[in-house]
């Protein structure tokens, strides 16, 4: 699909759909009024006859209106009284694209008003909404495939809008890269392949280092390595570095991702129903890869580290057993009560390695860690746990700004008794009560004084029945926008 910025007076052709806006009580935008007049009042009549009131996300679709060359006109409701903010335009553009993507029209002209920044966000919304992971489909019927090949965004100053979009396009690329990683089946995206794809980002200017099992064993990463010992695929630790600050030696910021490329649960095996979803148990690592892609793509003025712990959790004859004791890189020992609480074992060594080697300003880890977070927060909020109020506030603000909301939960010291072990320094699971919290308390033991936040994204990494038009069902790429915004707002010098 091609995206173009065109003059504001551009017209839709015979094979095109035209999208315009409506506000509260079906009040028409200037662009919609012009279309309504040219079509002899067709929009007003259709709105009255179809109970269209301009509510946010409401769509009015008019086929072949008289007086226009356009194949159809799509009116998108945005509420409000006529001021269209960039975020509103982004969402409206996504709704417009989704309304016509398989309709048969080959072109979509978006006349949504606003300045250059707004026009850029319109294009950004379409890029995200048009995501489709279809590389393995070979027999899909033509009528189910998107027909829109060109999207034209009307702008008062197309060149200025194009320049504004150039700053957003690397972020869109990064989100789609993350979605692709999460969407891939586990027989394709095993740890070595995941590592290789991140290595490919060196073309953007990242420095990427990959540690195999031999190197991790030498570092004492018994916690991470224990998870992957039942798989024929070698575990990997990927370190991606972006040195974009003026001072290349300045203290970096750090992101750490859980990358369980497939999670059977190991010997504590999961039920068969729904296990196929566990291909996306590497959503945290995909988000870290995505944000490093974004920072490099837009040449962010910051030094940043991304560390990805990549494993498969499989139940063969060499697999880790419930009751095993492993020694982490920190020297702390862990009794493995449940082999399906494996993500925290991966992160334990990845977090310690990151702080020990890079001495970052802060660490944020992302992980599809607990089903309990879904019970706690539903499917729209990710859980935030942190030892630092300032970092938490910045993350909460970034999440709100980017429609990737977080909800902070406590880390009460009293709950640590749930992860006490009779034979080791700790055990890897604390039972059903406060399961997401005890997981956060476990991770906190591998954070040695560094400002740290843990984002449990099990609730948000994958969507079914998405309510955000920029997020098709499936992989979300959750965390890329949020962390990019965090860096842009608070850490670029």
């Amino acid at each position: 699909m091609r995206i173009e910025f065109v003059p504001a007076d551009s017209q839709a052709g015979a094979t095109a759909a035209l999208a315009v806006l409506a506000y509260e009580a079906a009040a028409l935008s200037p662009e919609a009024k012009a279309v309504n007049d040219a079509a002899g009042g067709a929009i007003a009549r259709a709105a009255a006859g179809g109970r269209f009131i301009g509510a946010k996300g409401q769509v009015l679709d008019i086929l072949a209106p008289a007086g226009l060359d356009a194949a159809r006109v799509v009116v998108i409701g945005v509420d409000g009284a006529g001021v269209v903010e960039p975020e509103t335009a982004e969402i409206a553009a996504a709704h417009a694209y989704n309304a016509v993507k398989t309709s048969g029209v080959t072109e979509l002209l978006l006349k949504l008003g606003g300045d250059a920044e707004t026009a850029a966000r319109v294009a950004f919304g379409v890029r995200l909404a048009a995501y489709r992971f279809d590389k393995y489909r070979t027999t899909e019927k033509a009528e189910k495939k998107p027909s829109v090949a060109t999207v034209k965004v009307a702008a008062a100053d197309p060149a200025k809008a194009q320049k504004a979009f150039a700053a957003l396009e690397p972020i869109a690329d990064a989100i789609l890269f993350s979605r692709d990683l999460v969407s891939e089946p586990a027989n394709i995206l095993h740890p070595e392949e995941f590592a290789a794809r991140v290595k490919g980002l060196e073309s953007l200017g990242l420095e990427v280092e990959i540690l195999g099992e031999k190197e991790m064993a030498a570092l004492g990463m018994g916690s991470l390595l224990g998870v992957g010992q039942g798989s024929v695929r070698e575990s990997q630790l990927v370190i991606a570095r972006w040195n974009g600050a003026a001072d290349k030696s300045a203290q970096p910021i750090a992101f750490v991702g859980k990358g369980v490329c497939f999670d059977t649960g190991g010997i504590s095996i999961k039920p068969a129903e729904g296990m196929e979803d566990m291909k996306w148990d590497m959503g945290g690592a995909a988000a870290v890869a995505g944000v490093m892609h974004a920072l490099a793509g837009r040449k962010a003025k910051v030094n940043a580290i991304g560390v990805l712990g990549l494993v498969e959790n499989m139940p063969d004859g060499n697999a880790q057993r419930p009751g095993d004791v492993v020694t982490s890189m920190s020297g702390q020992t862990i009794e493995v009560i449940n082999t399906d609480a494996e993500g925290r074992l991966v992160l334990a060594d990845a977090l310690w390695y990151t702080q020990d080697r890079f001495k970052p300003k802060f660490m944020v880890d992302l992980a599809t860690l607990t089903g309990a977070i879904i019970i706690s927060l539903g499917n729209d909020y990710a859980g935030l746990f942190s030892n630092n109020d300032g970092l938490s506030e910045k993350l909460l603000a970034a999440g709100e700004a980017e429609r990737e909301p977080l909800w902070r939960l406590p880390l009460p010291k009293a709950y640590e008794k749930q992860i006490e072990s009779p034979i080791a320094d700790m055990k890897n699971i604390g039972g059903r009560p406060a399961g997401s919290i005890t997981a956060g308390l476990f991770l906190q033991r591998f954070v040695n004084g560094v400002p740290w936040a843990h984002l449990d994204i099990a609730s948000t990494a994958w969507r079914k029945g998405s309510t955000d038009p920029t997020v098709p069902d499936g992989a979300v790429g959750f965390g890329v926008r949020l962390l990019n915004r965090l860096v842009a707002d608070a850490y670029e010098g």
Side-chain angles (χ1 to χ4, degrees):
M1 185 184 70
R2 186 171 70 255
I3 296 178
E4 302 174 4
F5 293 93
V6 298
D9 59 357
S10 298
Q11 301 299 310
T15 61
L18 170 63
V20 291
L21 299 179
Y23 313 122
E24 291 176 2
L28 302 181
S29 69
E31 295 82 5
K33 285 179 182 177
V35 173
N36 186 55
D37 291 344
I43 293 180
R45 291 194 302 274
R51 295 184 174 179
F52 179 82
I53 60 172
K56 184 177 180 180
Q58 192 176 15
V59 178
L60 179 67
D61 192 358
I62 306 167
L63 293 174
L68 298 173
D69 289 335
R72 61 205 306 148
V73 172
V74 179
V75 187
I76 308 298
V78 293
D79 282 339
V83 178
V84 180
E85 300 293 338
E87 179 183 0
T88 300
E90 175 189 320
I91 294 171
H95 277 303
Y97 174 81
N98 288 333
V100 304
K101 64 182 177 182
T102 59
S103 66
V105 300
T106 58
E107 184 178 298
L108 171 62
L109 173 60
L110 295 159
K111 289 193 167 187
L112 307 187
D115 56 13
E117 181 189 355
T118 301
R121 287 287 289 273
V122 166
F124 185 67
V126 170
R127 275 291 311 275
L128 299 185
Y131 177 77
R132 194 167 183 264
F133 190 79
D134 59 1
K135 64 189 288 187
Y136 300 114
R137 293 173 175 166
T138 62
T139 60
E140 187 178 26
K141 294 181 179 179
E143 59 268 24
K144 291 187 176 182
K145 296 180 180 180
S147 59
V148 177
T150 303
V151 173
K152 295 182 177 180
V153 180
D157 188 336
K160 194 172 181 180
Q162 180 67 60
K163 184 177 180 180
F165 181 57
L168 291 174
E169 195 164 21
I171 303 170
D173 291 341
I175 293 167
L176 302 192
F177 176 75
S178 180
R179 289 179 182 177
D180 277 348
L181 291 172
V182 175
S183 299
E184 284 282 10
N187 64 316
I188 302 297
L189 197 81
H190 45 75
E192 300 100 320
E193 174 63 18
F194 196 142
R197 294 195 187 188
V198 178
K199 184 74 171 175
L201 298 180
E202 288 186 328
S203 62
L204 296 175
L206 288 176
E207 299 174 14
V208 180
E209 180 182 357
I210 300 171
L211 305 185
E213 292 181 351
K214 183 177 179 181
E215 292 87 352
M216 285 188 279
L219 290 167
M221 292 187 176
S223 183
L224 184 155
L225 291 172
V227 176
Q229 70 187 44
S231 174
V232 297
R233 299 292 189 180
E234 182 175 345
S235 298
Q236 308 274 278
L237 190 76
V238 177
I239 304 99
R241 305 182 67 169
W242 170 249
N243 290 317
D247 180 359
K248 305 304 180 187
S249 64
Q251 187 180 22
I253 60 177
F255 305 107
V256 182
K258 169 193 169 184
V260 180
C261 295
F262 194 78
D263 181 20
T264 66
I267 298 300
S268 306
I269 198 164
K270 295 177 181 289
E273 184 176 358
M275 194 191 289
E276 69 278 3
D277 286 346
M278 289 300 95
K279 71 176 187 176
W280 52 260
D281 205 20
M282 34 59 70
V288 172
V291 75
M292 296 304 294
H293 186 305
L295 297 179
R298 67 177 184 82
K299 308 306 178 191
K301 295 178 176 62
V302 69
N303 294 341
I305 305 293
V307 175
L308 289 65
L310 306 177
V311 302
E312 273 190 343
N313 189 20
M314 301 293 284
D316 86 342
N318 191 47
Q320 186 164 254
R321 295 159 292 265
D324 284 1
V325 173
V326 295
T327 301
S328 67
M329 183 183 175
S330 71
Q332 298 175 93
T333 57
I334 305 161
E335 183 184 12
V336 180
I337 300 299
N338 188 320
T339 65
D340 194 24
E342 84 300 328
R344 65 201 70 181
L345 298 174
V346 173
L347 287 173
D349 280 339
L351 284 166
W352 192 268
Y353 175 85
T354 301
Q355 68 177 13
D356 185 61
R357 178 176 175 186
F358 297 109
K359 310 299 188 293
K361 292 179 183 178
F362 69 80
M363 296 190 296
V364 177
D365 78 72
L366 298 92
T368 50
L369 205 67
T370 66
I373 205 69
I374 303 171
I375 305 304
S376 300
L377 299 179
N379 294 312
D380 293 324
Y381 284 80
L384 164 63
F385 304 82
S386 181
N387 64 2
N388 186 277
D389 291 342
L391 178 58
S392 294
E393 289 166 5
K394 291 171 184 175
L395 283 163
L396 289 165
E400 188 67 25
E402 294 293 340
R403 301 196 312 280
E404 293 192 338
L406 308 173
W407 193 267
R408 191 176 182 185
L409 289 94
L411 290 169
K413 189 172 181 61
Y415 286 18
E416 290 202 6
K417 64 184 179 182
Q418 292 179 226
I419 56 172
E420 291 177 358
S421 166
I423 66 168
D425 295 326
M426 71 197 83
K427 56 185 180 180
N428 76 324
I429 195 166
R432 290 178 63 83
S436 299
I437 292 174
T438 55
L441 287 167
F442 177 94
L443 293 177
Q444 189 172 232
R445 295 189 178 196
F446 300 90
V447 178
N448 189 17
V450 177
W452 157 80
H454 159 56
L455 306 185
D456 191 336
I457 64 170
S459 50
T460 55
W462 187 270
R463 292 284 174 87
K464 294 179 181 177
S466 175
T467 57
D468 186 330
T470 67
V471 181
D473 281 359
V476 175
F478 187 96
V480 178
R481 294 184 69 161
L482 185 162
L483 295 179
N484 178 73
R485 183 63 171 261
L486 171 75
V487 174
D489 285 355
Y491 293 102
E492 285 192 70

